[in-house]
Amino acid sequence: MRTLPQISEAEYEVMKIVWKHAPISTNEITERLLQTTSWSPKTIQTLIKRLVNKNILTYEKQSRVFVYTPLVNKDEYIGQESSSFLNRFYDGDISAMVSAYMDHDQLSEKEISTLRSLLSENSKKGGA
C-alpha cells in the first residue's frame, strides 16, 4: 500500500466535496463550501491548490473553467488515516481502542450492534 500525503482538516473538507461530486469545477467546490464554512473563496482556492501540489487532486481546463478529480481514493485515504490513528494512540491494538470508546460511553447501542454485525459477517467470510 502506498503512503499518501497528510492533509489538513480544511483540505479534508474540500476532498469530501470532490470525492462526492467529481468531476467538479472550482466554482462548484466554492459554492458548496460557502454553505458550510465561513471561508473566503480565496481560502478555498488556496486549499484546492495545496491538494493539487500534494498530488491528491488533478485538474483539467475546460474552456475557462478548471475541473477537478481526485487522484486518491476516499477509502484508501481513510484506511491510511485509521491505521495511523490506531498505531499512534493504541499501539495498533484495535481491541484497546474499542475498549477505550466503550469505557467512556462513546459508543451507542446502535454502534455496538453494528460492530457485532460487522464482526459476525467477517468471521463468516473466514476473516481474522
Side-chain angles (χ1 to χ4, degrees):
M1 182 167 128
R2 66 184 171 142
T3 301
L4 304 172
Q6 290 288 323
I7 64 173
S8 68
E9 287 295 319
E11 291 166 341
Y12 183 71
E13 290 302 312
V14 173
M15 286 308 299
K16 288 193 306 190
I17 301 289
V18 176
W19 281 319
K20 187 172 184 177
H21 302 285
I24 186 169
S25 71
T26 307
N27 288 343
E28 292 171 312
I29 294 169
T30 301
E31 286 172 21
R32 291 181 185 280
L33 286 169
L34 288 175
Q35 293 172 15
T36 59
T37 69
S38 59
W39 302 337
S40 73
K42 187 140 181 91
T43 297
I44 295 167
Q45 290 174 2
T46 298
L47 293 168
I48 292 169
K49 185 176 180 180
R50 284 185 195 162
L51 289 163
V52 168
N53 290 340
K54 291 180 180 185
N55 291 316
I56 302 281
L57 284 181
T58 188
Y59 65 90
E60 171 179 303
K61 192 170 183 182
Q62 297 178 356
S63 299
R64 294 181 356 204
V65 176
F66 288 94
V67 177
Y68 295 88
T69 54
L71 289 172
V72 172
N73 176 287
K74 181 180 180 181
D75 292 337
E76 184 181 6
Y77 183 77
I78 290 172
Q80 175 180 292
E81 288 301 300
S82 297
S83 292
S84 175
F85 175 83
L86 185 62
N87 288 328
R88 182 173 176 200
F89 294 102
Y90 298 98
D91 294 324
D93 184 354
I94 196 161
S95 299
M97 182 184 80
V98 172
S99 180
Y101 275 80
M102 292 176 74
D103 289 347
H104 295 94
D105 295 324
Q106 292 178 312
L107 292 176
S108 68
E109 285 301 320
K110 183 178 180 188
E111 290 168 324
I112 292 169
S113 177
T114 300
L115 283 171
R116 282 189 181 113
S117 294
L118 289 169
L119 291 169
S120 177
E121 287 173 26
N122 192 44
S123 66
K124 288 177 187 171
K125 289 187 222 174

